[in-house]
Amino acid sequence: ASNRLRNKFHGCLVGAVLGDCLGAIFENDTFQSIPIEKVQKFTREGYKKQQELFYTDDTAMARSIADSLLSKNGFHGSDMAKRFTEEYFHNPYRGYGGNVPTVFSKLRDSNYADPEGPASQQFDGSGSYGNGSAMRVAPVALFAYHDPVEEAQTIAAKTSRITHTHPDGVNGAIMQMLAVRESVILNVSQGLDVFAFLDKMLSQLKNSDTSMENRCSSYVESLVRMCRLFQESKSINSEVVYRTFGNGIAAIEAVPAALMAFLCIACEPKSSFMDVIEYAISLGGDTDTIATMAGAIAGGYYGCDSIPNGWIEKCEGTAYALQRADNLFGYAVQR
Ligand code: 8NA
Ligand code: MG
Ligand code: MG
Ligand code: MG
């Protein structure tokens, strides 16, 4: 049982890196321009001639989250803010969102005194609703795996607020963390019960600390829509997902899109990690971020053994992800 869980921790972080690296190839392609066959031509044959693939901001920031949680034995706002910022100034060409560098500059100039301050000033004080805090949250689910879910939600929210304080940004990070957590808990051999999965997410999202987060409603609405779609038909085509949830940089689009990629594929009797990645990329738009989130969920569900070695070897940052997954597994288990 312990080896199975370790394999799931590995799969979660490696799956996230793979989704980012593969998705980045198709970034900003429209839904119409990348039919699944075009994605598959690349994912199934392309690796033979492909040189190294590079990760983007999604993975760079996820690494900082894992590093900070492990080195501080818990959430430490200034430390995490410093790691995000130093990584950005060390390598600013990883495809960061348009406005988030402002936060990094202010954090650095104020010596990380108020980790949530600069983010709360973004967009005239409304905060960013981009998917940039959901895209990097997977390590939180692993770090807090043996903690009560409320604690995991609190940490996810705090990691978000260093760059994203808008409720849609914060709740998007919470929702993605919950999806990853559940995928690691589930046993693949028992098959996926989509309705049980969605019910659990719904009740956990509704119960998240309302004194802090009283605006989960947009995501609750997304989850209710997912239930309705699955009640109508078990196999939902990607055009319906794209039209219902979108594929953009707003967390309220990308987070539900990523979860749907996982659910639509994993509820089929014969399905694999790569099927989820391909479906996620075929939605178009913010493909690196939708695929990294779908990859973290799918990798946590199917485990690392299900991820093709050919791609693991070609993607920058997979060795580091494996190492960090081991550290997080050690941390989670020792408690
Ligand atoms: P962000 O906080 O700068 O948000 C991204 C964008 O969303 C902003 O630049 C705005 O256009 C818009 N936005 C967010 N909140 C508001 C608001 N309250 N009012 C009006 N507009 C708003 O950055 P982020 O970290 O959320 O960005 C994450 C995404 O950016 C990821 O997908 C990541 O991969 C990256 N990305 C990069 C490229 C690229 O070509 N470099 C393209 C797409 C996405
Ligand atoms: Mg990116
Ligand atoms: Mg993008
Ligand atoms: Mg992106």
Side-chain angles (χ1 to χ4, degrees):
S2 150
N3 275 337
R4 189 176 67 90
L5 186 61
R6 188 156 171 261
N7 186 33
K8 281 169 156 286
F9 272 53
H10 285 168
C12 176
L13 295 197
V14 171
V17 175
L18 236 80
D20 182 17
C21 291
L22 291 169
I25 304 281
F26 299 90
E27 190 170 359
N28 294 329
D29 285 1
T30 61
F31 172 78
Q32 291 77 7
S33 74
I34 36 171
I36 189 100
E37 295 77 19
K38 192 171 166 186
V39 178
Q40 287 167 342
K41 194 170 155 47
F42 178 76
T43 54
R44 296 182 184 186
E45 291 159 43
Y47 67 90
K48 292 173 199 148
K49 33 184 190 245
Q50 184 67 46
Q51 299 298 307
E52 187 175 17
L53 289 180
F54 297 101
Y55 66 76
T56 76
D57 56 333
D58 308 58
T59 300
M61 299 195 87
R63 286 164 74 134
S64 293
I65 288 186
D67 292 350
S68 180
L69 290 173
L70 285 164
S71 82
K72 293 290 172 186
N73 271 304
F75 179 80
H76 187 296
S78 318
D79 180 77
M80 198 174 282
K82 188 164 187 252
R83 288 176 193 271
F84 285 156
T85 303
E86 287 180 347
E87 167 59 32
Y88 169 75
F89 284 109
H90 175 70
N91 193 346
Y93 306 111
R94 292 272 188 195
Y96 286 83
N99 288 69
V100 72
T102 308
V103 175
F104 299 137
S105 294
K106 287 184 181 176
L107 282 169
R108 187 175 64 173
D109 294 347
S110 62
N111 201 22
Y112 315 100
D114 178 9
E116 294 179 12
S120 69
Q121 295 161 9
Q122 292 289 89
F123 303 99
D124 297 321
S126 58
S128 175
Y129 55 60
N131 57 29
S133 65
M135 71 186 183
R136 65 188 188 215
V137 80
V140 174
L142 304 186
F143 181 80
Y145 185 72
H146 286 295
D147 289 318
V149 69
E150 294 79 11
E151 172 66 8
Q153 285 175 298
T154 302
I155 299 175
K158 287 178 176 170
T159 65
S160 175
R161 287 201 201 91
I162 298 172
T163 51
H164 293 65
T165 62
H166 188 288
D168 280 1
V170 177
N171 289 321
I174 292 175
M175 167 139 153
Q176 169 64 11
M177 185 283 297
L178 289 173
V180 171
R181 180 181 168 101
E182 186 60 13
S183 75
V184 177
I185 290 172
L186 289 174
N187 190 338
V188 197
S189 62
Q190 291 172 356
L192 181 72
D193 180 341
V194 175
F195 296 108
F197 191 105
L198 290 171
D199 278 351
K200 190 164 174 186
M201 294 226 15
L202 262 172
S203 68
Q204 290 178 335
L205 258 188
K206 282 180 181 161
N207 287 345
S208 51
D209 189 350
T210 49
S211 59
M212 246 174 19
E213 300 307 328
N214 51 10
R215 302 220 355 227
C216 285
S217 57
S218 352
Y219 292 96
V220 167
E221 205 181 297
S222 302
L223 288 167
V224 170
R225 272 199 206 142
M226 291 179 199
C227 289
R228 287 209 198 105
L229 287 174
F230 281 107
Q231 277 158 1
E232 283 165 22
S233 160
K234 268 214 84 178
S235 63
I236 301 166
N237 79 47
S238 56
E239 178 151 13
V240 172
V241 173
Y242 159 67
R243 296 209 179 284
T244 308
F245 302 99
N247 64 8
I249 51 160
I252 191 61
E253 295 192 17
V255 173
L259 178 57
M260 281 302 280
F262 168 70
L263 294 175
C264 289
I265 294 296
C267 72
E268 302 285 347
K270 272 197 178 162
S271 64
S272 72
F273 171 84
M274 285 305 288
D275 294 334
V276 175
I277 294 290
E278 289 158 359
Y279 190 108
I281 293 175
S282 79
L283 294 172
D286 196 356
T287 48
D288 60 329
T289 299
I290 295 173
T292 201
M293 293 191 287
I297 303 169
Y301 181 68
Y302 296 104
C304 203
D305 290 349
S306 71
I307 303 180
N309 277 323
W311 277 126
I312 295 180
E313 287 161 14
K314 293 271 161 76
C315 292
E316 180 197 18
T318 45
Y320 194 82
L322 275 173
Q323 195 186 311
R324 277 300 179 235
D326 258 341
N327 301 143
L328 289 164
F329 181 74
Y331 179 85
V333 166
Q334 105 210 339
R335 292 170 339 125

